[in-house]
Amino acid sequence: MKRSLGVCYYPEHWPDTLWREDARRMAKAGLTWVRIGEFAWSRLEPEAGLLQFDWLDCAIAVLGEAGLKVVLGTPTATPPRWMIERHPDMLAVDQNGNPRKFGSRRHYCFSHSGYLTECRRITRLLGERYGRNPHVAAWQTDNEYGCHDTILSYSDAARHAFRDWLAQKYQSTDALNRAWGNVFWSMDYRSFNDIDLPNLTVTEPNPAHVMDFRRFSSDQVVAFNRAQVEVLRPLTDAPVAHNYMGRITEFDHYKVGADLDIASWDSYPIGFLSDRLEATPAHKATFLRQGDPDFQAFHHDLYRSVGRGRWWIMEQQPGPVNWAPYNPIPLPGMVRLWTWEAFAHGAEAVCYFRWRQAPFAQEQMHAGLLRPDSAPAPGLLEAEKVARELADAPEVGDSPADVALIFDYASAWAWDTQPQGADFDYFRLVFAFYRALRRLGLNIDILPPDAADLSRWKLVLAPGLFTLSPDLRAALPSCPGQVIFGPRANSKTPDFAIPADLPPDLPGLKARVTRVESLPPGIAVALEGGGQFRHWAEEVETRATVRLRRADGLPALVQGGNLGYLAGWPCDATLHSLLAQLCADQGISTLDLPEGVRRRATSRVCFGYNYAP
Ligand code: GAL
């Protein structure tokens, strides 16, 4: 597979006299792809029905003639102002009941059927015009579902669609009342039309109600995306992608990904470090100009799974960004390092965001590969270097992993709905496991919660998985090594209740969680041998083998057959030694990498990364 580079470009931001020179410089820099169009609706259709596609025809021709391949975005993340006149109730509504107004982007509710029809229409017009254009070699639907907290909408459109969704799921309000436990606090419903969205309640709404709203909201994104894919399929043979984000868990990316050919994501390592990661001030200072050593890799592995092997970086940070609380300049070499790390994890393409820094509007402080005056910015020189290196680099090869980690979006919704401890966050928990495995120098595969075959991995980890799917239950015997669940795994039914026989209810593992506690920062439960549980600890009754105990004698890790259960959230050091031991048990060799150094071994090349300053 040929790895390639690209860039995001906004021809509508620049005079058309610049396009040819820009295209020439892109090609000369060694770039292959150019993504365009994803915010251009107001220039494609300045008034409802008044279509002006000539400039896009011309931009695509200019780029294509320079030898570039176009990724064409559907412009549905930025409905123009006239759209609000046509559909005044299409705006998303926040949790406090306030409409999210026009004046930036993503101001639509996924449930609004009128807006969905408009999106189908513009997608069809683009597909008809460019679906067979030889220069348009890939498509992107919308832009960053979930950006700016836009998945959950409490609009009238959402309320009506949610009632329909519930009626389909439960068929009768009796069934719904039973499933949700609505006898509690006299919350019974007599009609689906009485059911509201779970916001603005006096205190916590019923968690089963919230959980269904989260499932519904995710399904709305899947349906919205699918509508565009269905329009495009007959009109083009080019692959269709969406650009996902870092640490966005509000919708099920596996389900969106099932309709697409390629998963792509937008990687902003320095922005993420300051604004999307729990870490000590010392960690944030150490990695200030490099980004966290594991955050990007986690998403590379996640999106490789979402894309069923095919994935890209659609937007790569090229220099300082504008949107984090503080926006430092990357150390020299980091743009190159981030790019190569993506290739090591199997990316087909890495596209930089953006070509030229825009001197106007919201993102004027965001770097591009060019400065606003068109001179090269430092990021361009690093991109050019990677382009030269790619030309004579060997094939990366595939990267077999012995260890897999399950990542489940519904678990993120569940523990967000009832965290029980203020800092119990599902992503944080899974990411702690991922980081510990990376420190051991391992390749890691990320699996969906319905993985049906575990035969390729010697160690499979499922921390915090809120329910065990029938598929995964059936797949457990296929793992030739160990599957370790917990903490908090399988501790709810799909209806968000405590299972009748108590968790974890794993086949053949004689253990029951009888009590749980959450722990404030600074408080730990000591383990035998010096380790600690933080955030969360469980009391377990068991007749299975106890592999590790707490200092008070209670079981910390129990094992039966090829299944294990971990009864707490280990601190980072404990997780590191525990996972090293579990790997050793399976004959998986590990390293103890120094701070900031990471490794990825492929069948042909072994990559080493120094994230340290
Ligand atoms: C992404 C987005 C881009 C741009 C970029 C700035 O989230 O897709 O349009 O806003 O961030 O870093």
Side-chain angles (χ1 to χ4, degrees):
M1 151 98 39
K2 182 102 181 58
R3 316 275 150 185
S4 47
L5 299 176
V7 71
C8 304
Y9 186 52
Y10 299 90
E12 69 276 24
H13 293 182
W14 313 107
D16 54 7
T17 47
L18 256 186
W19 298 350
R20 200 163 295 278
E21 175 62 2
D22 279 343
R24 189 193 63 77
R25 292 177 75 186
M26 288 173 196
K28 182 160 170 276
L31 307 182
T32 301
W33 295 94
V34 53
R35 184 198 61 177
I36 62 172
E38 83 279 11
F39 300 131
W41 201 335
S42 75
R43 296 301 168 101
L44 293 170
E45 193 178 14
E47 285 171 30
L50 177 68
L51 300 175
Q52 290 187 351
F53 284 21
D54 301 4
W55 68 267
L56 187 57
D57 297 349
C58 177
I60 291 173
V62 165
L63 295 165
E65 281 157 18
L68 298 159
K69 296 199 252 186
V70 171
V71 181
L72 187 55
T74 64
T76 52
T78 47
R81 184 64 182 83
W82 55 257
M83 190 70 77
I84 319 295
E85 305 302 318
R86 260 162 90 116
H87 305 286
D89 55 349
M90 64 166 278
L91 299 174
V93 172
D94 75 11
Q95 200 161 8
N96 298 318
N98 300 316
R100 305 196 69 185
K101 294 181 353 187
F102 182 83
S104 65
R105 60 178 173 184
R106 299 214 58 77
H107 40 280
Y108 68 85
C109 174
F110 283 95
S111 296
H112 194 274
S113 57
Y115 184 58
L116 185 62
T117 303
E118 303 274 9
C119 292
R120 282 203 191 90
R121 182 179 61 81
I122 192 74
T123 302
R124 177 165 303 110
L125 290 167
L126 287 164
E128 284 167 354
R129 197 166 182 110
Y130 303 113
R132 308 281 167 209
N133 183 307
H135 304 311
V136 176
W139 291 77
Q140 174 186 297
T141 54
D142 201 276
N143 188 78
E144 289 192 340
Y145 296 134
C147 190
H148 317 306
D149 195 10
T150 48
I151 300 302
L152 304 182
S153 166
Y154 300 85
S155 68
D156 288 346
R159 181 179 322 109
H160 292 302
F162 183 49
R163 288 172 181 165
D164 286 348
W165 186 94
L166 290 171
Q168 293 253 352
K169 175 168 176 180
Y170 292 102
Q171 301 290 319
S172 74
T173 48
D174 280 353
L176 178 141
N177 287 328
R178 249 194 325 277
W180 288 9
N182 280 336
V183 58
F184 195 77
W185 290 352
S186 274
M187 295 181 295
D188 289 308
Y189 294 103
R190 295 175 58 202
S191 156
F192 284 104
N193 288 334
D194 293 338
I195 303 177
D196 215 324
L197 299 174
N199 64 324
L200 299 172
T201 50
V202 173
T203 183
E204 181 188 348
N206 187 334
H209 184 174
V210 178
M211 195 64 192
D212 268 341
F213 178 61
R214 302 297 298 258
R215 290 188 180 106
F216 155 80
S217 301
S218 174
D219 284 359
Q220 297 302 89
V221 180
V222 176
F224 183 90
N225 183 69
R226 183 175 295 155
Q228 298 194 17
V229 177
E230 281 172 354
V231 168
L232 288 174
R233 288 297 183 204
L235 301 173
T236 182
D237 297 325
V240 186
H242 176 73
N243 58 333
Y244 306 106
M245 302 177 68
R247 198 171 181 171
I248 290 287
T249 52
E250 282 76 16
F251 66 94
D252 189 328
H253 293 49
Y254 300 110
K255 287 192 181 152
V256 170
D259 290 324
L260 297 168
D261 305 297
I262 299 172
S264 75
W265 83 285
D266 298 345
S267 178
Y268 292 93
I270 294 181
F272 294 146
L273 176 81
S274 81
D275 130 306
R276 228 160 281 182
L277 199 68
E278 302 85 355
T280 61
H283 181 91
K284 293 201 178 193
T286 302
F287 296 107
L288 180 80
R289 296 178 185 279
Q290 307 93 289
D292 180 83
D294 301 303
F295 193 85
Q296 289 68 249
F298 177 88
H299 290 86
H300 299 339
D301 291 343
L302 172 62
Y303 293 125
R304 193 172 62 251
S305 179
V306 167
R308 300 175 309 287
R310 290 199 68 183
W311 75 277
W312 292 20
I313 297 279
M314 195 62 90
E315 299 180 12
Q316 172 64 63
Q317 176 167 359
V321 301
N322 63 306
W323 44 262
Y326 298 95
N327 296 292
I329 292 174
L331 283 185
M334 287 315 297
V335 171
R336 171 172 171 263
L337 183 153
W338 298 326
T339 309
W340 269 112
E341 188 168 47
F343 288 134
H345 285 252
E348 294 175 13
V350 175
C351 303
Y352 301 95
F353 182 91
R354 50 185 282 153
W355 176 242
R356 183 186 291 101
Q357 182 172 349
F360 46 81
Q362 279 92 330
E363 292 179 352
Q364 52 185 276
M365 300 304 287
H366 193 298
L369 293 181
L370 300 189
R371 301 188 319 210
D373 66 356
S374 292
L380 179 65
L381 307 181
E382 295 195 25
E384 286 172 339
K385 181 164 186 196
V386 178
R388 287 195 299 275
E389 290 167 338
L390 275 174
D392 11 87
E395 267 298 320
V396 166
D398 48 298
S399 313
D402 290 323
V403 182
L405 187 55
I406 292 178
F407 188 78
D408 171 40
Y409 290 92
S411 296
W413 311 334
W415 305 140
D416 194 27
T417 300
Q418 248 188 15
Q420 178 70 4
D423 56 7
F424 195 101
D425 178 271
Y426 177 72
F427 180 93
R428 185 179 183 181
L429 172 69
V430 178
F431 186 63
F433 277 67
Y434 184 85
R435 191 194 281 300
L437 293 166
R438 286 259 294 174
R439 277 187 57 202
L440 294 169
L442 296 165
N443 287 354
I444 301 131
D445 284 334
I446 294 188
L447 304 181
D450 56 355
D453 177 13
L454 304 179
S455 59
R456 279 170 43 202
W457 298 278
K458 296 182 187 158
L459 181 62
V460 177
L461 301 157
L465 185 67
F466 105 109
T467 57
L468 177 61
S469 69
D471 287 338
L472 187 59
R473 186 179 284 273
L476 294 176
S478 70
C479 178
Q482 278 272 302
V483 187
I484 308 286
F485 288 89
R488 232 176 163 176
N490 207 25
S491 61
K492 300 287 170 188
T493 67
D495 294 327
F496 213 99
I498 297 171
D501 291 329
L502 300 187
D505 182 26
L506 298 170
L509 186 72
K510 295 192 173 30
R512 293 204 302 178
V513 175
T514 56
R515 255 195 333 178
V516 301
E517 62 177 343
S518 54
L519 304 167
I523 304 296
V525 167
L527 304 180
E528 265 180 12
Q532 291 184 339
F533 284 156
R534 293 277 179 130
H535 309 293
W536 187 265
E538 303 176 351
E539 295 183 1
V540 169
E541 252 174 35
T542 188
R543 281 187 282 135
T545 308
V546 178
R547 291 277 316 262
L548 176 67
R549 287 189 186 275
R550 300 165 28 152
D552 62 10
L554 287 174
L557 175 65
V558 296
Q559 192 180 319
N562 75 342
L563 299 187
Y565 187 80
L566 181 62
W569 180 328
C571 71
D572 290 348
T574 305
L575 204 43
H576 182 250
S577 55
L578 186 67
L579 291 171
Q581 183 56 52
L582 291 168
C583 287
D585 293 349
Q586 299 306 321
I588 303 168
S589 51
T590 57
L591 299 169
D592 190 2
L593 295 174
E595 189 183 30
V597 175
R598 292 295 184 261
R599 167 183 190 267
R600 176 137 176 113
T602 76
S603 56
R604 303 187 137 199
V605 192
C606 182
F607 291 88
Y609 297 92
N610 180 17
Y611 269 91

